[in-house]
Amino acid sequence: MLASLTEEQALIQGSALDWLAGNYSFIDRQTSVHRDGGSPAAWAAFAELGWLGLTLPEETGGSGLGQVEAGLLMQAFGRHLVVEPFHACVLQAARLLELSGSPAQKQEWLPRVAAAELRLALAHAEPGDVLPWEQRRTIATQVGDGWQIKGTKQLATGAPDADMLIVSARLAAGDSELLFMVDPGHHGVRVEPYDTGDGARAADIHLDAALPAEALLGNGTPEQATDVLHRVLAEGIVAHCWQATGAMQAVLEQTMQYTQQRKQFGQSLSSFQVVQHRLAEMAVLCVEAQACCELAAMRMKSEPAQARNFAAMARSKTARAARFVSQEAVQLHGAMGVCEELPVAATFRMLLAFMQMDGDGASHAEDLGRKVLASGAFNHSQTLGATQ
């Protein structure tokens, strides 16, 4: 959909689609579903193809690429319903380590992430969250040279197979947040894994642990940690939107093909005008959702301070599009839309999970609307300039 891809972007998109088409069919995917970490063979291939280091710095074995490149890869993953925790490990946890970690921490962990030698996972979401920006209820208290951390995290994707968790917590003496590297096997850390509706694995994490001083991620101020955390969370939301666009485009193509083959009253379903209108609306929403993702990814690069706003815009639009496209795909498939033999049912579950992950689209839209009203930004149009 991008007007023009750079040679590097075209290579990433092409290699991802080609490899997944040949090695990650809907049948092949079954070896990854509801398995801790997904398929080891697939994860090793991700490393060999350079995907695990795609956005990591070159000095740590990565490629140093940006959010558009990550989005193109996530879109390919969405098209093939990939369940391996690439997003949780690379785009969230490893990205936080890259931006917040000390030089020693980055050199110790990031090259091994890129080489598929270990995995990281982010433990951020908590019971009662409406949006991911809310103040954490997990509390970190400094005790001597170390830290006491206490709280509960939920739906930490990739955590059941992670070698290290990056945990967000609120500083007991203030409102700012800190990030900690926590060994899931550490005393006082309890991991409760479970299957998720989209075929992946996640865990709830109960923390009441004493951590050494070196568990603190980096040595920046709490304010810096909060800013970085929110930026990475916003990038992750947009990456999930890219993934959803890939799933929507794939299920649209499957639905078009099915309605052309399925006959009723002696005619193919696709010959009926009402079906044509519904397919057209699905196609329009797919295009609009991808355009939002492209805009958000490009503007995040030029205006990182506004990442949260761009994420909210992309999330609101993509969630509404995902709801319509997924429901129409099942409806137009009829009874076959809920059969496990076809990808449409798995795609519906994946998009349903997306719509609730990191806050639903309506909550993001409401949050953005309040900020726009409070700032008076609604008085200025990016196209027309100041308005009355």
Side-chain angles (χ1 to χ4, degrees), residues 29-107:
R29 174 181 178 269
Q30 299 309 309
T31 62
S32 299
V33 171
H34 292 155
R35 178 176 181 174
D36 287 352
S39 165
W43 195 257
F46 292 177
E48 185 177 348
L49 289 161
W51 297 345
L52 299 186
L54 186 73
T55 59
L56 300 181
E58 294 182 11
E59 59 269 22
T60 59
S63 301
L65 299 179
Q67 297 307 305
V68 172
E69 291 79 10
L72 292 170
L73 181 57
M74 285 295 291
Q75 188 175 60
F77 282 175
R79 173 174 283 274
H80 290 271
L81 304 177
V82 171
V83 298
E84 280 70 21
F86 172 83
H87 180 275
C89 177
V90 177
L91 300 185
Q92 295 280 263
R95 176 69 167 157
L96 277 173
L97 181 56
E98 173 201 341
L99 296 178
S100 293
S102 67
Q105 288 170 330
K106 289 188 280 190
Q107 286 300 324

Side-chain angles (χ1 to χ4, degrees), residues 5 61 97 134 156 188 218 275 295:
L5 295 176
L97 181 56
E134 296 172 12
V275 173
L295 179 62

Side-chain angles (χ1 to χ4, degrees), residues 275-360:
V275 173
Q276 295 172 4
H277 287 176
R278 292 164 78 174
L279 290 170
E281 183 65 17
M282 291 168 68
V284 168
L285 288 173
C286 286
V287 172
E288 290 179 349
Q290 178 160 341
C292 284
C293 292
E294 294 171 5
L295 179 62
M298 290 186 289
R299 293 194 65 182
M300 276 182 172
K301 181 178 180 180
S302 60
E303 303 174 65
Q306 298 296 316
R308 177 173 162 178
N309 292 347
F310 302 143
M313 294 176 193
R315 177 62 181 213
S316 176
K317 179 62 182 181
T318 308
R320 285 183 281 120
R323 180 184 180 88
F324 183 88
V325 171
S326 61
Q327 290 180 346
E328 290 298 308
V330 172
Q331 180 78 15
L332 290 172
H333 272 83
M336 293 302 295
V338 294
C339 291
E340 295 303 314
E341 288 81 1
L342 296 180
V344 61
T347 304
F348 178 82
R349 290 194 297 271
M350 180 264 182
L351 290 173
L352 185 65
F354 159 75
M355 285 184 273
Q356 300 303 320
M357 199 176 299
D358 297 323
D360 61 85

Side-chain angles (χ1 to χ4, degrees), residues 107-175:
Q107 286 300 324
E108 179 182 359
W109 294 96
L110 292 183
R112 297 165 68 190
V113 169
E117 295 174 1
L118 59 82
R119 302 194 196 192
L120 305 175
L122 173 63
H124 176 74
E126 296 179 348
D129 279 357
V130 176
L131 291 172
W133 329 115
E134 296 172 12
Q135 197 172 80
R136 296 300 88 190
R137 290 170 289 279
T138 298
I139 302 298
T141 306
Q142 191 161 17
V143 180
D145 292 335
W147 296 88
Q148 183 72 28
I149 186 169
K150 187 172 183 177
T152 299
K153 300 293 184 179
Q154 69 176 13
L155 200 62
T157 305
D161 192 51
D163 298 285
M164 189 66 73
L165 304 171
I166 294 184
V167 177
S168 58
R170 178 165 58 89
L171 188 62
D175 296 332

